[in-house]
Amino acid sequence: MAAPVPPPVLAAAVLRSRGIDAVIIGGTAEWLHTGVGMPRDLDLAPAPTPANLAALTDGLTALGASPDHVPTADVLARTDVRSVPTAYGPVDVLAGRGRDEHHLLTAQAHTVTVLGVGLSVASLGDVLRLRHIHGYRPTRVAVR
Amino acid sequence: MNGPASGSPTGLSAVELELLDALDALCGSPPVHATSAALLARLDDEAGIAPRHAYEVLCLAAQDHVSHLPLVDGHGNVGEHPDGPAANPRYTEVRPSPVGQLAHRHRTTGGLGLPIGLVNGNVHLGGHRPAFDPRRVLATVEHACRRPAATDSELCDLVGAPSFPSGCGVGVDLAALTAGEEVDLECTARVERAGDAHGGRFVISRWPPTSSPHRAARAIAARSADAARARPFPEIDDQMVAVRDIAVLSSRRELVVDLHDDADPERELAKLRTIHGVTTLTRTRLPAPLATLVRRHASRDRAAMLAALGELRDELDLRDRVATGER
């Protein structure tokens, strides 16, 4: 039996297992590349097709998000960013980023297999570029 | 330069200070309870603070499981942070708590900033400042008053690690936090094995400041193996918790989790601890190095500050005696 994985990584695996097409960016992508730190939330740039956004809406519900917080596919198609609290921690859906450059991110992405699922993880170059754009800051390791 | 912990000498927010002013004006001395609706109307008229916003801050200021030093004494259902809604303000009553009275009196008469904001922090309000143990903070400010030459590390050691009223576990890069750097704070609820139920039973208590038993119960249910049964990925299913039943004991702020008979309790315990709500990760940052914040409290009228700290400590002693007597 595998050791428990960080909740944002598990959330990404659950979403991918449901067929959702999204590139992981932010701290979770950094963790999947380096194994350093502890990801606090999951940042996703989803493919902007209506079917994928609808699947993402269902996936967020499966992650334990309250119906009040889950945006519809129609809203995701128009919005830039939605932060959704889930049982796995916050999931930030960067829908605008997905519309603008999901295909570009995918072209540079790495596939990392976690729990039998292939996760699409933005390249470190893209992770750092988007960190600069969105003001992400690296997670500091908590020390007991 | 700003005040010790935020924009005021007490480290309290502007809204909290307006609350104290309005409570003082409305409740008199010695203070009697007034309806929250009357207070909110006054805040709206006098300070332009919208009632919904003011009521949220007012209710949080009355909850002793949120703040070490509650500023408000509330009657009625003032809510249960983070997910228990308060009653309509027509049906709740408030007055300044003894700590709130002290903070207001010393600020308005002597310009003294008691270190209440430093003790309470504001993580529960969505801020970045963690809470610290009240007695340790008072002792440290007193030490800084008596020994102005005390070193930074001496003051930081005396304050110690962040500490929340629930008594949740805390993990943080303390050296970086006290230096004023931005760091992640990991807060973990207490998870204890209990009873002789088949498979195992866990009692979860001492919640992180942004969590609650109800919130964690929803997260655990969503992370249960039953919820994930339809998924054809065994390695993902293996990450889910083998929960048979969940019960919230609201009055004790505890959560009881029963596992399936064939579950491995040690392994399930490790998984439970990763669930958001049982453990939280929060970005924290102090507005200045901790020793600097402590010294700002000690840099004014030292004799008056020592007397004020004594009053605050007496209030803590009284509160502890009442709590012990009630048990």
Side-chain angles (χ1 to χ4, degrees):
Chain A
M1 290 185 183
V5 302
V9 178
L10 181 54
V14 170
L15 292 176
R16 187 71 195 107
S17 75
R18 300 173 70 92
I20 292 153
D21 180 5
V23 180
I24 302 169
I25 57 181
T28 300
E30 206 171 329
W31 185 86
L32 285 162
H33 279 294
T34 65
V36 174
M38 177 60 70
R40 184 188 313 101
D41 54 17
L42 175 63
D43 300 312
L44 296 171
T49 64
N52 190 56
L53 296 180
L56 179 54
T57 292
D58 291 344
L60 291 168
T61 304
L63 293 180
S66 147
D68 294 344
H69 291 117
V70 177
T72 63
D74 185 46
V75 167
L76 284 178
R78 289 181 279 115
T79 195
D80 276 341
V81 182
R82 284 297 284 258
S83 294
V84 182
T86 76
Y88 300 70
V91 175
D92 292 336
V93 181
L94 283 82
R97 185 63 51 193
R99 282 195 298 278
D100 290 347
E101 54 175 299
H102 174 267
H103 59 295
L104 297 173
L105 290 169
T106 300
Q108 300 294 322
H110 300 236
T111 299
V112 178
T113 300
V114 176
L115 304 173
V117 177
L119 301 178
S120 180
V121 184
S123 69
L124 263 181
D126 279 333
V127 170
L128 296 175
R129 176 176 61 85
L130 294 174
R131 178 197 291 171
H132 182 71
I133 292 172
H134 293 292
Y136 296 133
R137 287 153 296 184
T139 304
R140 295 288 299 261
V141 182
V143 178
R144 282 191 186 283
Chain B
M1 179 68 79
N2 281 342
S6 65
S8 76
T10 53
L12 297 173
S13 71
V15 177
E16 287 171 318
L17 295 175
E18 291 289 350
L19 270 179
L20 289 177
D21 288 346
L23 282 165
D24 181 70
L26 199 62
C27 300
S29 180
V32 294
H33 283 93
T35 68
S36 298
L39 183 80
L40 298 180
R42 186 180 182 96
L43 281 166
D44 194 7
D45 293 344
E46 304 279 329
I49 301 173
R52 189 187 302 166
H53 176 51
Y55 195 43
E56 184 181 356
V57 177
L58 177 68
C59 290
L60 280 168
Q63 296 180 31
D64 60 5
H65 68 275
V66 168
S67 300
H68 286 296
L69 302 174
L71 299 170
V72 174
D73 173 22
H75 269 182
N77 172 17
V78 291
E80 187 178 345
H81 177 78
D83 52 9
N88 186 294
R90 289 194 302 274
Y91 306 121
T92 60
E93 293 182 328
V94 289
R95 66 178 176 183
S97 70
V99 169
Q101 293 171 55
L102 278 175
H104 183 265
R105 176 158 55 85
H106 285 294
R107 185 173 69 89
T108 52
T109 60
L112 281 181
L114 290 172
I116 295 170
L118 183 58
V119 168
N120 285 345
N122 65 356
V123 166
H124 58 284
L125 287 162
H128 291 91
R129 290 185 282 114
F132 290 94
D133 183 274
R135 290 186 183 280
R136 294 186 73 134
V137 170
L138 298 190
T140 308
V141 175
E142 186 176 316
H143 185 72
C145 285
R146 295 187 192 284
R147 292 197 51 204
T151 65
D152 286 2
S153 71
E154 208 174 319
L155 298 178
C156 291
D157 286 349
L158 279 171
V159 173
S163 163
F164 293 91
S166 68
C168 64
V170 168
V172 71
D173 182 338
L174 192 54
L177 175 71
T178 56
E181 294 177 33
E182 190 170 75
V183 292
D184 284 305
L185 175 73
E186 186 185 72
C187 293
T188 308
R190 173 185 283 185
V191 186
E192 294 174 298
R193 190 145 184 217
D196 55 357
H198 291 296
R201 168 176 289 177
F202 292 106
V203 177
I204 310 178
S205 60
R206 303 196 176 195
W207 300 96
T210 54
S211 188
S212 73
H214 289 282
R215 187 166 287 202
R218 286 195 296 273
I220 292 169
R223 286 276 299 272
S224 75
D226 289 344
R229 189 180 291 158
R231 244 189 332 263
F233 291 90
E235 289 180 70
I236 292 180
D237 288 350
D238 187 48
Q239 295 284 322
M240 301 299 162
V241 189
V243 173
R244 181 164 52 85
D245 194 22
I246 305 171
V248 176
L249 306 180
S250 292
S251 61
R252 299 170 61 172
R253 289 182 59 76
E254 289 181 352
L255 188 62
V256 179
V257 177
D258 285 331
L259 303 179
H260 284 301
D261 290 352
D262 56 352
D264 171 0
E266 287 305 313
R267 183 173 158 68
E268 299 306 315
L269 174 62
K271 288 191 280 190
L272 271 175
R273 286 199 168 121
T274 70
I275 291 180
H276 186 71
V278 178
T279 297
T280 61
L281 206 54
T282 308
R283 186 83 74 176
T284 55
R285 173 174 42 79
L286 295 171
L290 181 58
T292 304
L293 297 177
V294 169
R295 286 201 180 90
R296 283 182 197 165
H297 287 291
S299 63
R300 298 193 177 207
D301 182 340
R302 290 199 172 96
M305 177 55 83
L306 286 169
L309 292 172
E311 287 184 78
L312 199 49
R313 188 178 293 105
D314 289 345
E315 185 49 45
L316 283 175
D317 290 342
L318 179 63
R319 200 175 69 181
D320 287 353
R321 281 201 299 275
V322 170
T324 308
E326 282 176 356
R327 275 199 293 270

